[in-house]
Amino acid sequence: MTEPKQRLLSLDFFRGLTVAAMILVNNPGSWGHIYAPLEHAEWNGCTPTDLIFPFFLWIVGVSIAFAMGSSKTDAANHGKVILKAVKRGITLYLLGFFLAIFGKLMAVILDGKSLLEAFQTVRLLGVLQRIGIVFIISSILFLKCSTKTIFRIFIAILGIYWALMTFVPVPGVGYPNLEKETNLAAWIDRGILTEAHTWASSKTWDPEGILTTLPAVGTCLFGILVGVWMRRKDIDHPTKVAWLFTAGIASAVLGLLWDLQFPINKALWTSSYVLYAGGLAAMGLALCYWLIDVQGYKRMTTPFVVYGVNAITVFFLAGLMPRLLNFIKLSNADGSKTPLLEKFYSSCFTPFFSPINASLVWAISYVLGFYVLLYFMYKRNIIIKV
């Protein structure tokens, strides 16, 4: 068997599968009608939906190892590579910030709302913002630290975060706890971000907040460690796959054991969650790598590969589209106005399906609609790199 190319088709496939799933769960027809696996856990626990974001950050780590692996040994070139990583991370942050403030800016333009108020109440952190911040930190650590040091940092992050959340009394509360509004991470978000700049659905804490970014970096470092392993030339394919499966199983089991004391929780991005989600991601990539890059089963990979090569582009557009369509309003017979998105959904989906199935079919249609655009880009080799 020949050595697969350094750009792994299985990695593009796995990334595309993750992004497509992210778009699916982020765009139901109705937030009041969603199948349980497509919802986040209420607090502690983990649904399939809770695995999507950590999978993506983990994949970012694997990609860093492949994209920057050749630059790691060239110390003279580190400054240039780091500057490029910082620019990319800032771009990701600004894209996320734009999505957060888009609706407020449209209100300023169309309804004459205050521009100052828009900036005073915009959410500062979010999914793309977290990806950007984690990417910068993880890229620098990868370039400047040995693999052993990265592993030690990974372990230290999990331990330090556990200690902070478990043993540090929360000011104003007087004792450490992991409840929604009274845990240490929530207290830090309210104190630094302020309630005006946190997640609108909670106001008192942010699932992509400041302190929880620390273990999110751990998730990316986990991916980097796997990427370094996958790039090795001195190990054959069966050994790579076997060890990756073993590491994945061990990590997931450790996460489940740690869950007994430090619950698996996406909003808090607990250390047990890092190990559990990272372990499952490792097993997922191992399976994809063996089937696609080693055994050569590539015929059915295209739909997700086209998502994978333009992952950030489609995620941004998928977030922008509903925001834009919600500002296009159609007049009704009684003089009221309905957003175009709501009108289209109520006319073309709800009359033909039960409420929960209409919501699901809408989400699937959304994914398929973007697939058409991405396939057009893929066939013309149009890859938008952020």
Side-chain angles (χ1 to χ4, degrees), residues 71-72 82 111 117 125 130-131 134 153-154 159 175 208 217 231 253 261 267 274 278 281 309 355 362 366 381:
S71 301
K72 187 176 177 68
I82 289 173
D111 303 328
E117 182 182 351
L125 297 175
R130 170 161 286 184
I131 294 172
V134 169
I153 293 172
F154 169 68
Y175 57 91
E208 280 78 49
V217 171
R231 288 187 76 248
V253 170
Q261 191 274 332
V274 172
V309 297
W362 167 266
Y366 204 74
N381 199 32

Side-chain angles (χ1 to χ4, degrees), residues 1-238:
M1 289 183 282
T2 58
E3 182 71 24
K5 294 180 180 179
Q6 285 299 86
R7 183 178 181 91
L8 297 180
L9 183 63
S10 57
L11 187 60
D12 285 334
F13 172 85
F14 195 35
R15 184 191 300 109
L17 177 63
T18 302
V19 173
M22 193 179 294
I23 293 173
L24 179 75
V25 301
N26 284 348
N27 296 278
S30 169
W31 287 103
H33 300 93
I34 307 174
Y35 280 102
L38 302 181
E39 289 192 275
H40 290 292
E42 177 60 28
W43 189 239
N44 293 331
C46 187
T47 70
T49 299
D50 291 318
L51 295 173
I52 295 172
F53 192 15
F55 272 28
F56 190 85
L57 276 184
W58 187 91
I59 292 167
V60 168
V62 179
S63 300
I64 287 173
F66 275 89
M68 301 183 187
S70 59
S71 301
K72 187 176 177 68
T73 55
D74 184 8
N77 197 40
H78 281 184
K80 184 185 296 185
V81 178
I82 289 173
L83 180 60
K84 186 177 180 180
V86 170
K87 288 180 177 178
R88 187 180 186 189
I90 292 174
T91 301
L92 287 167
Y93 180 91
L94 292 177
L95 287 173
F97 183 81
F98 177 78
L99 289 179
I101 203 171
F102 179 80
K104 298 178 185 295
L105 292 179
M106 291 296 289
V108 170
I109 296 170
L110 299 178
D111 303 328
K113 296 290 182 67
S114 168
L115 180 61
L116 179 60
E117 182 182 351
F119 280 92
Q120 287 177 333
T121 57
V122 66
R123 184 186 180 196
L124 295 178
L125 297 175
V127 172
L128 285 174
Q129 294 95 315
R130 170 161 286 184
I131 294 172
I133 294 168
V134 169
F135 176 76
I136 292 172
I137 296 171
S138 300
S139 297
I140 294 172
L141 289 175
F142 173 71
L143 289 171
K144 293 299 184 181
C145 300
S146 67
T147 302
K148 287 184 179 179
T149 301
I150 291 173
F151 178 73
R152 293 187 184 112
I153 293 172
F154 169 68
I155 298 300
I157 284 174
L158 299 186
I160 291 170
Y161 184 67
W162 164 75
L164 288 172
M165 296 296 291
T166 305
F167 298 112
V168 175
V170 181
V173 178
Y175 57 91
N177 70 95
L178 300 176
E179 301 303 319
K180 280 187 180 181
E181 298 184 357
T182 55
N183 65 78
L184 183 63
W187 178 80
I188 291 175
D189 289 340
R190 289 195 299 272
I192 298 178
L193 299 175
T194 74
E195 293 185 9
H197 297 293
T198 55
W199 187 38
S201 297
S202 69
K203 289 295 186 184
T204 56
W205 56 277
D206 198 304
E208 280 78 49
I210 295 171
L211 185 58
T212 57
T213 299
L214 177 64
V217 171
T219 294
C220 194
L221 294 183
F222 193 161
I224 284 176
L225 292 169
V226 168
V228 170
W229 171 259
M230 298 294 287
R231 288 187 76 248
R232 290 183 59 171
K233 302 285 190 179
D234 58 330
I235 301 174
D236 60 34
H237 307 312

Side-chain angles (χ1 to χ4, degrees), residues 240-261:
K240 284 182 180 179
V241 173
W243 275 106
L244 191 53
F245 263 118
T246 302
I249 293 170
S251 181
V253 170
L254 285 174
L256 290 171
L257 291 174
W258 206 349
D259 171 66
L260 300 174
Q261 191 274 332

